[in-house]
Amino acid sequence: PGHGHSGGVELLYWQRSYLHELRAKIADFAKGKTELAESEKAALVEHMNWKFPDTKLDFFLINSADPVAKELAREREGTVGKS
């Protein structure tokens, strides 16, 4: 049950590739900041749609950019998992 046809392990590899690219691109834009400017979010969407043309995940990309930037900044500071 779910959306679309069943797939094999290649779907997991694709998803991993997508998420790695997303984090890397957000890190490029954020450079330690916890939020991206609207223009950076637009450029992120453009890049991801170019790299993964069949995804149509613009809403996800725009709404995940700042939380991911914040997570990356915390990782950079070494504060992930610390309260």
Side-chain angles (χ1 to χ4, degrees), residues 15-80:
Q15 185 174 22
R16 183 178 181 200
S17 171
Y18 185 89
L19 293 174
H20 278 262
E21 183 69 24
L22 175 63
R23 283 177 54 91
K25 203 63 182 173
I26 291 173
D28 287 347
F29 286 124
K31 295 181 178 60
K33 298 180 299 184
T34 58
E35 295 181 354
L36 270 60
E38 293 303 315
S39 61
E40 292 169 324
K41 290 177 187 177
L44 172 67
V45 169
E46 185 177 338
H47 171 78
M48 294 300 288
N49 285 336
W50 169 78
K51 185 97 176 177
F52 301 91
D54 297 326
T55 55
K56 297 182 175 106
L57 295 172
D58 297 9
F59 180 79
F60 164 76
L61 293 168
I62 291 167
N63 288 292
S64 64
D66 290 341
V68 172
K70 186 178 286 187
E71 178 181 294
L72 292 168
R74 289 180 64 206
E75 286 177 6
R76 194 172 166 156
E77 295 170 358
T79 59
V80 172

